Amino acid sequence: ATLNAYEVTKIVTTCPHCFNTLKKEYPDLGGNYEVIHHTQLLKKLLKEEKLTIQGGKFKGKRITYHDPCYLGRANQIYEAPRELLQKLDAELIEMKSCKSKGLCCGAGGAQMFKDAEKGNKEINIERTEDVKETKAEIVATGCPFCNTMLTDGAKTIEEERKISVMDISELIANAQEL
């Protein structure tokens, strides 16, 4: 009701969970909006030449991309983030579990806010080990929860000096040579 009162027609999200909820659940409540993820917006702005990436701060860097569950498997958005990363002139290295077979970061279902359950290994550690296996210097994310979980994973396996975790929007913003 609040969004409709303000006559909202388009919503841009940075959170894939919010993207999914607003896109798939709000219409049942009378909220019919164009909902786009920030990676889709950035791709559109680049295509329309309203945003440019100059310089090559990431040229030659090895970057892997972690597919957030609610962006990838739940909404089949795989290419927009990858197309943005390719604009950085970096080497995009895919993890063994990616796209429709992507592995959760461990935050889903509010898991990041509760104590670990029984098992051999925390899921964010498993996923960070997948990142480490690629020998990537940077893991790009499109979700603030994934960013937190992978950052914590890198600290836990003592790889935080070797693996930077960055949102795609941060990479785009920092791509300019100073």
Side-chain angles (χ1 to χ4, degrees), residues 13 16 19-20 23 35-40 43 65-82 99-100:
T13 70
F19 173 86
N20 188 71
K23 187 172 186 76
V35 183
I36 60 175
H37 187 256
H38 72 292
T39 58
Q40 294 173 304
K43 178 186 167 188
Y65 175 67
H66 167 76
D67 291 284
C69 297
Y70 276 96
L71 192 60
R73 291 193 314 271
N75 287 285
Q76 292 73 52
I77 297 173
Y78 301 111
E79 297 313 315
R82 286 170 172 81
K99 298 184 180 178
S100 64

Side-chain angles (χ1 to χ4, degrees), residues 2-5 12 22 38 50 72 74 80 87 104 106 110 116 119 121 127 130-131 142 144 147 151 156-157 159 175:
T2 301
L3 292 169
N4 288 340
V12 178
L22 290 163
H38 72 292
K50 293 179 179 175
K87 298 284 186 191
C104 180
K121 188 184 299 182
R127 193 56 168 161
D130 289 348
V131 171
N147 191 312
T151 298
T156 301
I157 65 170
E159 292 292 322

Side-chain angles (χ1 to χ4, degrees), residues 38-47 50-58 63 65 79-90 138-142 165-178:
H38 72 292
T39 58
Q40 294 173 304
L41 175 63
L42 290 169
K43 178 186 167 188
K44 180 178 184 276
L45 293 174
L46 280 168
K47 184 178 180 179
K50 293 179 179 175
L51 175 67
T52 59
I53 299 175
Q54 297 175 1
K57 184 175 180 180
F58 297 103
I63 298 177
Y65 175 67
E79 297 313 315
R82 286 170 172 81
E83 288 175 25
L84 290 168
L85 292 172
Q86 289 169 347
K87 298 284 186 191
L88 300 174
D89 291 328
I138 300 167
V139 58
T141 68
V165 182
M166 299 178 77
D167 188 273
I168 290 177
S169 59
E170 290 179 284
L171 290 164
I172 298 297
N174 289 315
Q176 314 313 318
E177 293 217 10
L178 302 174

Side-chain angles (χ1 to χ4, degrees), residues 9 14 20 30 51 69-70 83 94 103 124 159-161:
T9 59
T14 57
N20 188 71
L51 175 67
C69 297
Y70 276 96
E83 288 175 25
E94 294 287 2
L103 183 65
N124 68 318
E159 292 292 322
E160 73 268 32
R161 288 189 197 103

